[in-house]
Amino acid sequence: MEAKLQIPVLGMTCASCAGSVEQILKETPGVKSVSVNYANEKAYLNIDEEITNLPLLQKQVQAIGYDLVIENDVSAEEIKQDLLKIAKKNTIWAGVFSIPLLIIGMIGMHWPYANYIMMALATPVLFIFGKSFFINAYKQARIGKVNMDTLVALSTGIAYTFSLFNTFYPAYFENRGLEAHVYFEAAGVVIFFILIGKWLEEKAKSGTSDALKKLIGLQPKTVIVIRNGVEETLPIKEVIMGDILLVKPGEKIPVDGTVKKGESYIDESSISGEPMPVFKSKKSKVFAGTINQKGSLRVLAKKIGNDTYLSQIISMVEDAQGSKAPIQKTVDKVARIFVPAVLFISVLTFVLWMTLGGENKLALGMLSALSVLVIACPCALGLATPTAIMVGVGKGAENGFLIKDAESLEIAQHVDTVVLDKTGTITEGKPSVTKVLFYTELAFQKALIKSLEAVSEHPLAAAIVDYFKEEESLDITDFESITGVGVKGKYQGKTYLVTKPSYVEKLSSESVKENISKLQNEGKTVVVLSNETEILGIIAIEDSIKESSAAAILKMQEQNLEVIMLTGDNENTAEAVAKAVGIITFKANCLPSDKSEFIQKLQKEGKTVAMVGDGINDSVSLAQADVGIAMGSGSDIALDVAKIAIISNDLIKIPAAIKLSRKTMNTVKQNLFWAFIYNIIGIPLAAGILYAVNGFMINPMIAGAAMAFSSVSVVLNSLRLKTAKI
């Protein structure tokens, strides 16, 4: 049996670590697919449970120096918090020892016993508070891998060992006319600065998943259940389907269900992004995580636990935050070779200094080689994309639209054409019959229309059935749904149809055509009741345009997006609706296949197309488009196919989603630019490329501070997205 899992990973310190964990899991039998996200420290797995299991996977990961948390998410969060406390304590104590170490290194190098004092101060910094770097580097070395810990351990370990040698055997260099330098302060302060950087990075990284934490926090832990007339407070896990729950003012709705008793306004902004409270009374649907504002409600539980709408949103956001954007694949390739390349450059730097350097070639060569190891920062590269994606996806969820994966977010930035379905997208999707004209006096014609449309699945059929709900139901035989046209069936041996006017145009008289045209010019949809020889009647149906549609379309046009409307409706109705909302280009009388072909045509013209729809008939076009966007009130199929779902059903979220995509990907590009440029400039400077020009050298301590700052700056830049206006 196949299982989809999200497992927290512990012990990763850079993008190379994520690559190592991903590789070992990928090579484990039974793992069908795996993706490891360094930013949220989770592995996303599809496994065959008949071949492998979590304890086995954990053992594999532990063998290369990392760990999987195979309990629940709460314990994983607790472990992370404990590790954060330990990191803070180590950072503070490293600072207590490093500050006097730095002072002595700067102004007290020639004090009596200065080297021994510095050795005493540096030793605990390296091997107590910074021991994790050496332990992790050793674990990596055992399996032939290298990561950021390797760079830190090598640079500080070499500096410490060299200083140790010069402290106890200074005569070795002094007899050769060289000064026996020590670098205890460099080794200690580098560890201190990197500990500060990692601690700040972890703190900042936790902020990238704030949106998810808020969503999870919407789930109440306890609930009042009324069983056999008795109220009892129970943990939410003990609620079962069919329970009646009491929700008092100010409390969160704990499950998806319907109101059995009471009236109140519900704040649904947490899941829809809409600030206005919604009135709820008996039989109204309510959703878990929304907040009851005024009256007490008794709610019948219909969906609980992982089946609630809120749980599905949380799951979707978690999946999207863990997914990788296409641009990340290139970064991953660079990250895999980054550390080995830095090691090579460091050795090359030392060799060149020893070959071409002057009088102080050993000291300068060592300082340069150490600085190269310390200043190189694979962490910033690893964090550049996922931190921005996490914040972007979270911000989308907070604003009422769910982005299903990072790839959609990346593609959406390039969208230049938005194709809108009419019914349920531009309009409310709640059509109602506004006029009926009959041309015959058949006694059963109203019942006939109701009976024919009762079998149809078309959205307009429901409006007709509702209008004629008082009529009796007739026994219709040989029913047939004609895709994109209407329905037909037999009653008492005769064939009757309810179709588009164009399908039976040859049966229409001039007066019928005139009536149809007049109604269509008013923006109404007209269907025709006919038999095989004559028109029996016409029915006008109107679907109100959403209040926000015109404003949303104007916003899209202001973003230089071409907006096109496709509809199965007739030309006159389509034109009236398009004109009302400010759309210039539209296409009427479209079958589902026509919509898909139209999108293909746009794509062949080189356009990046977003399709917005809500019905089953839109699912093909949603799949064909570069970015499919489904309205929240749409069919399950449309929501499954689409890459972005608008929870609130409000068209104004479309320009917001595209704007968020552009801002998120701009942030990714900024992060990658600074991460690359930092390393491209920093490494040559650390190697001493300017020494021959102006004598400039980077001290390893400064290199350590720069390295720590580069990671933190990338995460902070991603967090700026939280305050961006969309």
Side-chain angles (χ1 to χ4, degrees), residues 226 242-247 253 257-263 280-286 296-302:
I226 302 172
D243 269 339
I244 302 293
L245 313 177
L246 176 62
V247 186
I253 306 287
T258 53
V259 176
K260 288 289 286 183
K261 187 178 178 183
E263 294 181 346
K280 302 284 181 177
S281 58
K282 191 174 180 181
K283 293 187 179 178
S284 295
K285 286 184 180 178
V286 291
S296 288
L297 294 174
R298 292 194 178 198
V299 175
L300 173 65
K302 289 195 167 179

Side-chain angles (χ1 to χ4, degrees), residues 31 131 238 546:
V31 175
K131 66 181 178 184
E238 294 185 18
K546 291 176 186 171

Side-chain angles (χ1 to χ4, degrees), residues 413 660-671 717:
Q413 67 171 325
L660 177 65
S661 162
R662 292 174 178 173
K663 283 185 176 289
T664 302
M665 296 317 297
N666 278 341
T667 303
V668 168
K669 288 169 189 169
Q670 289 165 9
N671 287 347
N717 191 45

Side-chain angles (χ1 to χ4, degrees), residues 429-464:
K430 296 174 183 171
S432 59
V433 174
T434 57
K435 195 163 190 174
V436 179
L437 293 174
F438 286 115
Y439 301 102
T440 61
E441 297 294 333
L442 290 177
F444 55 82
Q445 53 195 4
K446 292 181 181 177
L448 184 62
I449 296 171
K450 175 191 169 185
S451 303
L452 281 167
E453 292 289 30
V455 195
S456 171
E457 293 177 349
H458 196 281
L460 297 182
I464 295 173

Side-chain angles (χ1 to χ4, degrees), residues 418-485:
V418 179
V419 176
L420 302 172
D421 170 50
K422 180 178 77 66
T423 305
T425 302
I426 295 175
T427 63
E428 295 284 357
K430 296 174 183 171
S432 59
V433 174
T434 57
K435 195 163 190 174
V436 179
L437 293 174
F438 286 115
Y439 301 102
T440 61
E441 297 294 333
L442 290 177
F444 55 82
Q445 53 195 4
K446 292 181 181 177
L448 184 62
I449 296 171
K450 175 191 169 185
S451 303
L452 281 167
E453 292 289 30
V455 195
S456 171
E457 293 177 349
H458 196 281
L460 297 182
I464 295 173
V465 172
D466 185 61
Y467 186 79
F468 293 112
K469 61 186 173 188
E470 303 297 331
E471 303 298 325
E472 63 175 320
S473 295
L474 305 179
D475 186 17
I476 304 294
T477 59
D478 298 331
F479 177 83
E480 183 183 346
S481 176
I482 311 169
T483 303
V485 173

